[in-house]
Every structure is written in structure tokens, then in C-alpha cells.
Amino acid sequence: QQSRRNLTTFSTVLSTQVSLLTYDARTVCSMYFAFSLFNHDINTYKYMRKVLKRFCDFRPEGDRLRGELIADMMVPHDVTLFLQSARTKHEWNFLRKEVHACFQWYIHKFERNTANPAKACKRSGHTAKARVPLNDEMICMILEESEARPLDHDMLVFYLCTLARPDEALRTKWVDWNREEGTIRLWTRKRKGGRWEFETVPIPLPLHEVLERRWNERTQEEWIFVNPRTGKRFMHRPKMMAGICHRAMIPPIGYTMRKNRKGVMVKKPKYWGLHDLRHFMTAVLKGKLKVDTAKISRHLRHKSIRTTEIYLQTLQVDITDSGQQIGSVSFISHVAPPVLIPSESEEGETPEV
């Protein structure tokens, strides 16, 4: 018992001495990197690290590097000078968000009484650019063109029926499909702390038929969508939708400058992606089927209905009864997911990446 008391006293004194230490901004960012690496998604970590390294290496004219400043003595003006290097209002908000999160973690972790220097920096008046969603005619053309490639066609039906994010469909396993209950589990890390969670989603008849056929024709027992070249799951499919839209002769939504294989900047067309299928079905549920925003939020698996409201504001919802048919079956009534409320999310085992 005396040893335990001595150890407790030593820990208290040590924590007090650590709390009295002062760190420069670069050291604080380095400690936040270590925290983020084990608690955030890898893509979030890479982007955050890029922003904070840019912050530490920023040097205003006639001043020191931001990374050399004492974190507890930084003022909003020090952060504002860095934010002024942003090229757009959208970039201003993103830079402010990452810097604010880093200092907020530092203040909470080391129990500092100082104010967050990024908190007083106001957000820029950025208005999100409205997204032009796909329409019924384009979806029909995409599905008809993909029929020549059954794997692509099955993936499109999966996305349209479940409103899944691109990565959620690619990492779905056969064990996630409950054939008796007609549901499927979708795993995601878009949660606080980056932890894995799944949502149980009801599946309509077209997707059930696709899964039955793929189950009977399966070549392995783990992943639903398998890359035929490697025999493993797809990690990402960034060019799938662009190729289908190009073959279906759907006009691009714009053009972008990218490097070719020789490193030369060339002008390339920009098409819709897999995530735009999620936006399309959201517009269908809201504009055509008149589904309540709360139920749409459950379909999208958002934790906050405010996220769904922001989601809908970026869509130009103009879905009318176009009467488009796929074969002899109405597209909306058979591909749109049933207006049901999926069960609450539950934490489960981490799926294999």
C-alpha cells in the first residue's frame, strides 16, 4: 500500500511537471500527428498532416516560422496570417478547421488554460457550389451501357439500391448479407474517432436478385465484388463511371487539367463518379418520392440530420416524372430503396482491409 501511495504521488508530480512544460507549435503538431495516426482514417491523417506541415513552415514577411512560436503564447493574428495564404474561401475554411482541431486537442490533452488561437478566426463566407445531379435519362443510359460488363452493372445496382459510399460497397463481404432478413451491413469509418461501425440496410428485390446470382457464380468465399485480375477485392475504382459515361456518349460536366504519362499537363473531360449515384438517389427520394428528411438521413446513415440538410442544399433537386423505363420496369419504383427506417448502428469487429 505504501508503494502504491508513493507511485501515485510520483505520477501526480510528474503530470504536474509535464503540464508546466511549454511546447512550440511544431512539437504540438508532431504530437497531434501521433494521435491522429491511430485514431483517424488514413486519408484524414494524410490531409491533416499536409495542412499542419504547411502551417509550421509558413513564415510571414519579417516574422518567424509559425512552428517556432510557443503554442501557449500564440494569438489569433498568428493564425490569421497563415489563413490569408489560402487561395479561395473554401480553402480558408479547411485550413482553419485543421489548425483549430490541433490546438483544441492540445488544450484538452494537457489541460491548458489558454484560448485556442484559431477559434477567434471567423469562418469565411463560402457558399458551396451546387451539384448538378444525374437525371433519369442518364441513369438509364449508364445501366444499359454497363449490361455488357456484368460486374460493373451489378456494382451500379448495388450503389443505387443501398445509397452506399464508394468504399463501403467495395469492402462488403458475403457474411454481411443476411439472406433470410433481406438486409446487408455496410461498414464505415466516417464516425468520431474514425472507429469502424456498420449499419444494417434493407435491400430491394433487384439487388437481392443480383446477390443471388453472384453467390451462385462466386469464385471465392469472402468478398462480394472481386477484381478478376487479382482475385482480391477492389481497393478503389476511380475510372469506372468515367469509362461508362464516355462509352454511353454522355457529355462531360466539365474539363480539368491533369498530367499524362509523360508528365505534360493536358485537358481531360470530367465525368460523374460513383459518389454521384448517392446524390442522385437522394434527389430522387426528396424530389420525386417526397420522403421526409429524417428518413432520408437514416438512408444516408448520417448521425446528424443537419448533415443531411447541408447535403440537400448542394443538390439542384429537379426530379420530375420523366416516365423513363428500363426494359419494361419503372426505374424509380424498382431500384429506389424501400422507405423503411434501418436499424440503429452497432459496433462490431473491425473488417479486414
Side-chain angles (χ1 to χ4, degrees):
Q1 292 179 355
Q2 184 63 32
S3 299
R4 290 181 179 179
R5 283 195 292 267
N6 294 338
L7 180 61
T8 303
T9 304
F10 173 75
S11 301
T12 304
V13 173
L14 180 62
S15 61
T16 303
Q17 292 177 351
V18 170
S19 64
L20 294 177
L21 294 176
T22 57
Y23 302 98
D24 56 20
R26 191 179 299 276
T27 304
V28 171
C29 291
S30 299
M31 292 187 293
Y32 185 62
F33 292 158
F35 166 79
S36 177
L37 182 61
F38 295 98
N39 292 275
H40 296 155
D41 181 69
I42 185 63
N43 293 325
T44 303
Y45 166 77
K46 288 181 179 179
Y47 179 79
M48 175 273 301
R49 183 182 177 89
K50 181 179 179 180
V51 171
L52 294 182
K53 288 186 67 176
R54 175 181 167 185
F55 170 73
C56 293
D57 296 336
F58 177 75
R59 183 199 295 271
E61 185 177 356
D63 201 346
R64 294 190 299 170
L65 293 172
R66 301 297 91 175
E68 297 177 354
L69 300 179
I70 302 300
D72 295 74
M73 301 178 62
M74 292 189 67
V75 295
H77 178 69
D78 297 327
V79 180
T80 302
L81 292 176
F82 166 69
L83 297 180
Q84 289 175 351
S85 65
R87 293 168 293 182
T88 63
K89 296 181 179 180
H90 182 68
E91 185 181 6
W92 171 294
N93 293 335
F94 265 98
L95 297 180
R96 177 191 175 276
K97 175 184 176 183
E98 299 299 339
V99 175
H100 180 276
C102 177
F103 281 97
Q104 194 65 27
W105 170 85
Y106 168 70
I107 294 172
H108 176 75
K109 179 70 175 179
F110 294 92
E111 299 180 355
R112 301 298 191 185
N113 295 325
T114 58
N116 190 330
K119 188 174 184 179
C121 301
K122 297 182 179 180
R123 290 175 54 87
S124 178
H126 168 70
T127 303
K129 185 178 180 180
R131 300 176 66 101
V132 180
L134 294 161
N135 55 42
D136 293 3
E137 182 179 0
M138 293 180 181
I139 290 294
C140 292
M141 295 172 62
I142 290 173
L143 289 175
E144 290 175 0
E145 177 60 35
S146 65
E147 288 179 354
R149 303 185 180 188
L151 177 60
D152 293 351
H153 182 80
D154 294 345
M155 293 184 68
L156 291 175
V157 174
F158 189 97
Y159 283 115
L160 291 170
C161 291
T162 61
L163 280 75
R165 301 177 180 92
D167 185 65
E168 293 174 352
L170 299 181
R171 67 171 64 254
T172 306
K173 299 181 179 181
W174 286 117
V175 295
D176 297 323
W177 177 35
N178 191 324
R179 185 182 305 178
E180 290 73 18
E181 298 182 1
T183 59
I184 195 166
R185 297 186 303 182
L186 298 178
W187 291 87
T188 182
R189 291 188 68 176
K190 293 183 70 69
R191 296 291 182 264
K192 186 176 181 179
R195 63 182 183 278
W196 284 104
E197 288 185 2
F198 69 82
E199 290 273 1
T200 303
V201 180
I203 57 178
L205 180 60
L207 180 55
H208 181 78
E209 295 176 350
V210 167
L211 293 176
E212 284 286 355
R213 175 169 51 79
R214 295 198 63 82
W215 172 258
N216 297 329
E217 300 174 357
R218 69 189 185 279
T219 58
Q220 46 82 47
E221 304 291 334
E222 186 174 11
W223 307 103
I224 294 180
F225 299 108
V226 182
N227 189 338
R229 296 182 180 180
T230 62
K232 302 179 181 179
R233 79 171 184 94
F234 289 99
M235 302 305 295
H236 52 82
R237 301 204 66 185
K239 300 180 180 180
M240 172 181 161
M241 280 288 290
I244 295 176
C245 292
H246 178 72
R247 294 192 299 269
M249 301 183 68
I250 297 177
I253 57 178
Y255 292 88
T256 181
M257 299 298 294
R258 293 186 179 180
K259 290 184 179 180
N260 59 11
R261 295 181 178 179
K262 297 181 179 180
V264 181
M265 298 296 294
V266 295
K267 186 178 181 180
K268 292 187 177 182
K270 182 179 180 181
Y271 292 96
W272 286 272
L274 291 173
H275 197 80
D276 289 289
L277 299 175
R278 178 177 167 93
H279 285 271
F280 168 76
M281 293 307 299
T282 303
V284 169
L285 292 173
K286 185 65 176 180
K288 184 176 204 99
L289 302 181
K290 307 298 181 183
V291 179
D292 183 70
T293 304
K295 292 184 178 180
I296 294 178
S297 180
R298 302 294 293 274
H299 282 299
L300 296 174
R301 300 179 305 282
H302 289 158
K303 286 294 185 181
S304 172
I305 194 173
R306 176 57 184 162
T307 306
T308 308
E309 293 173 352
I310 297 174
Y311 210 83
L312 293 173
Q313 289 175 2
T314 61
L315 294 177
Q316 295 179 357
V317 182
D318 187 17
I319 306 297
T320 57
D321 293 329
S322 60
Q324 296 294 334
Q325 300 280 326
I326 297 180
S328 59
V329 190
S330 172
F331 167 73
I332 299 301
S333 60
H334 284 260
V335 179
V339 185
L340 300 174
I341 299 179
S343 59
E344 295 287 346
S345 68
E346 302 174 9
E347 294 189 11
E349 298 180 358
T350 302
E352 180 182 352
V353 179

Short mmCIF file of all heavy atoms in Angstrom, two decimals, residues 223-248:
data_model
loop_
_atom_site.label_atom_id
_atom_site.label_comp_id
_atom_site.label_asym_id
_atom_site.label_seq_id
_atom_site.Cartn_x
_atom_site.Cartn_y
_atom_site.Cartn_z
N TRP A 223 -15.24 -11.81 -50.47
CA TRP A 223 -15.71 -10.53 -50.96
C TRP A 223 -16.81 -10.70 -52.00
O TRP A 223 -16.80 -11.64 -52.78
CB TRP A 223 -14.55 -9.74 -51.58
CG TRP A 223 -13.37 -9.59 -50.68
CD1 TRP A 223 -12.20 -10.26 -50.73
CD2 TRP A 223 -13.28 -8.71 -49.55
NE1 TRP A 223 -11.36 -9.87 -49.73
CE2 TRP A 223 -11.99 -8.91 -48.98
CE3 TRP A 223 -14.14 -7.78 -48.97
CZ2 TRP A 223 -11.56 -8.22 -47.86
CZ3 TRP A 223 -13.69 -7.08 -47.85
CH2 TRP A 223 -12.42 -7.30 -47.31
N ILE A 224 -17.77 -9.75 -51.99
CA ILE A 224 -18.85 -9.79 -52.97
C ILE A 224 -18.36 -9.35 -54.34
O ILE A 224 -18.65 -9.99 -55.36
CB ILE A 224 -20.03 -8.91 -52.50
CG1 ILE A 224 -20.66 -9.50 -51.23
CG2 ILE A 224 -21.09 -8.78 -53.60
CD1 ILE A 224 -21.83 -8.69 -50.70
N PHE A 225 -17.60 -8.25 -54.38
CA PHE A 225 -17.07 -7.74 -55.65
C PHE A 225 -15.57 -7.99 -55.68
O PHE A 225 -14.82 -7.41 -54.88
CB PHE A 225 -17.39 -6.25 -55.80
CG PHE A 225 -18.86 -5.95 -55.82
CD1 PHE A 225 -19.47 -5.33 -54.73
CD2 PHE A 225 -19.64 -6.31 -56.90
CE1 PHE A 225 -20.83 -5.06 -54.75
CE2 PHE A 225 -21.00 -6.04 -56.92
CZ PHE A 225 -21.59 -5.41 -55.84
N VAL A 226 -15.15 -8.85 -56.59
CA VAL A 226 -13.77 -9.30 -56.66
C VAL A 226 -13.16 -8.83 -57.97
O VAL A 226 -13.79 -8.88 -59.03
CB VAL A 226 -13.69 -10.84 -56.57
CG1 VAL A 226 -12.24 -11.31 -56.60
CG2 VAL A 226 -14.38 -11.33 -55.32
N ASN A 227 -11.93 -8.35 -57.88
CA ASN A 227 -11.18 -7.97 -59.07
C ASN A 227 -10.75 -9.24 -59.80
O ASN A 227 -9.97 -10.03 -59.26
CB ASN A 227 -9.95 -7.14 -58.67
CG ASN A 227 -9.25 -6.54 -59.87
OD1 ASN A 227 -9.37 -7.01 -60.99
ND2 ASN A 227 -8.49 -5.48 -59.62
N PRO A 228 -11.23 -9.47 -61.03
CA PRO A 228 -10.89 -10.72 -61.72
C PRO A 228 -9.40 -10.85 -62.04
O PRO A 228 -8.91 -11.96 -62.24
CB PRO A 228 -11.72 -10.64 -63.01
CG PRO A 228 -12.02 -9.19 -63.21
CD PRO A 228 -12.10 -8.60 -61.83
N ARG A 229 -8.66 -9.75 -62.06
CA ARG A 229 -7.23 -9.82 -62.36
C ARG A 229 -6.41 -10.28 -61.17
O ARG A 229 -5.42 -11.00 -61.34
CB ARG A 229 -6.74 -8.45 -62.81
CG ARG A 229 -7.37 -7.95 -64.11
CD ARG A 229 -6.79 -6.60 -64.51
NE ARG A 229 -7.37 -6.12 -65.75
CZ ARG A 229 -7.05 -4.96 -66.33
NH1 ARG A 229 -6.14 -4.16 -65.76
NH2 ARG A 229 -7.62 -4.59 -67.45
N THR A 230 -6.82 -9.86 -59.97
CA THR A 230 -6.03 -10.18 -58.77
C THR A 230 -6.66 -11.25 -57.90
O THR A 230 -5.99 -11.85 -57.08
CB THR A 230 -5.82 -8.91 -57.93
OG1 THR A 230 -7.10 -8.41 -57.48
CG2 THR A 230 -5.14 -7.82 -58.75
N GLY A 231 -7.98 -11.46 -58.05
CA GLY A 231 -8.66 -12.40 -57.18
C GLY A 231 -8.97 -11.85 -55.81
O GLY A 231 -9.46 -12.58 -54.93
N LYS A 232 -8.69 -10.56 -55.58
CA LYS A 232 -8.98 -9.90 -54.32
C LYS A 232 -9.99 -8.79 -54.55
O LYS A 232 -10.39 -8.52 -55.68
CB LYS A 232 -7.70 -9.34 -53.70
CG LYS A 232 -6.63 -10.39 -53.44
CD LYS A 232 -5.37 -9.77 -52.86
CE LYS A 232 -4.29 -10.81 -52.63
NZ LYS A 232 -3.05 -10.19 -52.09
N ARG A 233 -10.40 -8.12 -53.49
CA ARG A 233 -11.40 -7.06 -53.62
C ARG A 233 -10.81 -5.84 -54.29
O ARG A 233 -9.59 -5.61 -54.27
CB ARG A 233 -11.97 -6.68 -52.26
CG ARG A 233 -11.08 -5.76 -51.43
CD ARG A 233 -11.82 -5.28 -50.20
NE ARG A 233 -11.05 -4.32 -49.43
CZ ARG A 233 -11.16 -3.00 -49.57
NH1 ARG A 233 -11.95 -2.50 -50.49
NH2 ARG A 233 -10.45 -2.18 -48.81
N PHE A 234 -11.67 -5.02 -54.88
CA PHE A 234 -11.24 -3.74 -55.43
C PHE A 234 -10.91 -2.79 -54.29
O PHE A 234 -11.69 -2.66 -53.33
CB PHE A 234 -12.35 -3.13 -56.29
CG PHE A 234 -12.59 -3.84 -57.60
CD1 PHE A 234 -13.63 -4.74 -57.73
CD2 PHE A 234 -11.78 -3.59 -58.69
CE1 PHE A 234 -13.86 -5.39 -58.93
CE2 PHE A 234 -11.99 -4.24 -59.90
CZ PHE A 234 -13.04 -5.14 -60.02
N MET A 235 -9.79 -2.11 -54.38
CA MET A 235 -9.45 -1.09 -53.40
C MET A 235 -10.13 0.23 -53.75
O MET A 235 -10.54 0.99 -52.88
CB MET A 235 -7.94 -0.90 -53.32
CG MET A 235 -7.19 -2.17 -52.96
SD MET A 235 -7.77 -2.94 -51.42
CE MET A 235 -7.33 -1.67 -50.25
N HIS A 236 -10.23 0.54 -55.03
CA HIS A 236 -10.93 1.73 -55.50
C HIS A 236 -11.16 1.56 -57.00
O HIS A 236 -10.45 0.80 -57.67
CB HIS A 236 -10.13 3.01 -55.23
CG HIS A 236 -8.72 2.96 -55.73
ND1 HIS A 236 -8.38 3.22 -57.05
CD2 HIS A 236 -7.56 2.64 -55.11
CE1 HIS A 236 -7.07 3.08 -57.20
NE2 HIS A 236 -6.55 2.74 -56.04
N ARG A 237 -12.17 2.27 -57.53
CA ARG A 237 -12.48 2.22 -58.96
C ARG A 237 -12.75 3.64 -59.46
O ARG A 237 -13.88 4.00 -59.77
CB ARG A 237 -13.68 1.31 -59.23
CG ARG A 237 -13.49 -0.12 -58.77
CD ARG A 237 -14.37 -1.07 -59.54
NE ARG A 237 -14.00 -1.13 -60.95
CZ ARG A 237 -14.69 -1.82 -61.87
NH1 ARG A 237 -15.77 -2.47 -61.51
NH2 ARG A 237 -14.29 -1.83 -63.12
N PRO A 238 -11.71 4.46 -59.56
CA PRO A 238 -11.92 5.87 -59.91
C PRO A 238 -12.33 6.11 -61.35
O PRO A 238 -12.90 7.16 -61.66
CB PRO A 238 -10.55 6.50 -59.59
CG PRO A 238 -9.57 5.39 -59.78
CD PRO A 238 -10.29 4.15 -59.34
N LYS A 239 -12.02 5.17 -62.26
CA LYS A 239 -12.29 5.39 -63.67
C LYS A 239 -13.50 4.63 -64.20
O LYS A 239 -13.79 4.68 -65.39
CB LYS A 239 -11.06 4.99 -64.49
CG LYS A 239 -9.81 5.79 -64.15
CD LYS A 239 -8.63 5.36 -65.00
CE LYS A 239 -7.37 6.15 -64.65
NZ LYS A 239 -6.21 5.73 -65.47
N MET A 240 -14.20 3.94 -63.32
CA MET A 240 -15.32 3.11 -63.76
C MET A 240 -16.44 3.95 -64.37
O MET A 240 -16.88 3.72 -65.50
CB MET A 240 -15.85 2.28 -62.59
CG MET A 240 -17.14 1.54 -62.87
SD MET A 240 -17.73 0.62 -61.44
CE MET A 240 -19.44 0.36 -61.89
N MET A 241 -16.93 4.94 -63.62
CA MET A 241 -18.03 5.76 -64.10
C MET A 241 -17.62 6.60 -65.31
O MET A 241 -18.41 6.79 -66.24
CB MET A 241 -18.53 6.67 -62.99
CG MET A 241 -19.47 5.98 -62.01
SD MET A 241 -21.09 5.63 -62.71
CE MET A 241 -21.76 7.29 -62.85
N ALA A 242 -16.39 7.09 -65.33
CA ALA A 242 -15.92 7.89 -66.46
C ALA A 242 -15.92 7.07 -67.74
O ALA A 242 -16.33 7.55 -68.80
CB ALA A 242 -14.53 8.45 -66.17
N GLY A 243 -15.48 5.81 -67.64
CA GLY A 243 -15.47 4.95 -68.81
C GLY A 243 -16.88 4.63 -69.31
O GLY A 243 -17.13 4.64 -70.53
N ILE A 244 -17.80 4.37 -68.39
CA ILE A 244 -19.17 4.06 -68.79
C ILE A 244 -19.83 5.27 -69.43
O ILE A 244 -20.50 5.16 -70.47
CB ILE A 244 -19.98 3.58 -67.56
CG1 ILE A 244 -19.41 2.26 -67.04
CG2 ILE A 244 -21.45 3.40 -67.93
CD1 ILE A 244 -20.08 1.76 -65.77
N CYS A 245 -19.65 6.45 -68.82
CA CYS A 245 -20.25 7.67 -69.38
C CYS A 245 -19.67 7.98 -70.76
O CYS A 245 -20.39 8.43 -71.66
CB CYS A 245 -20.02 8.85 -68.43
SG CYS A 245 -20.92 8.73 -66.87
N HIS A 246 -18.38 7.73 -70.92
CA HIS A 246 -17.75 8.00 -72.22
C HIS A 246 -18.29 7.07 -73.29
O HIS A 246 -18.60 7.50 -74.42
CB HIS A 246 -16.24 7.85 -72.10
CG HIS A 246 -15.50 8.05 -73.38
ND1 HIS A 246 -15.35 9.30 -73.97
CD2 HIS A 246 -14.87 7.17 -74.22
CE1 HIS A 246 -14.67 9.19 -75.09
NE2 HIS A 246 -14.36 7.90 -75.27
N ARG A 247 -18.44 5.78 -72.96
CA ARG A 247 -18.96 4.82 -73.94
C ARG A 247 -20.44 5.05 -74.23
O ARG A 247 -20.91 4.80 -75.34
CB ARG A 247 -18.75 3.39 -73.43
CG ARG A 247 -17.29 2.98 -73.33
CD ARG A 247 -17.17 1.48 -73.11
NE ARG A 247 -17.82 1.06 -71.88
CZ ARG A 247 -17.21 0.99 -70.70
NH1 ARG A 247 -15.93 1.34 -70.60
NH2 ARG A 247 -17.86 0.58 -69.63
N ALA A 248 -21.19 5.57 -73.23
CA ALA A 248 -22.60 5.86 -73.43
C ALA A 248 -22.82 7.20 -74.11
O ALA A 248 -23.97 7.60 -74.32
CB ALA A 248 -23.34 5.83 -72.09
#
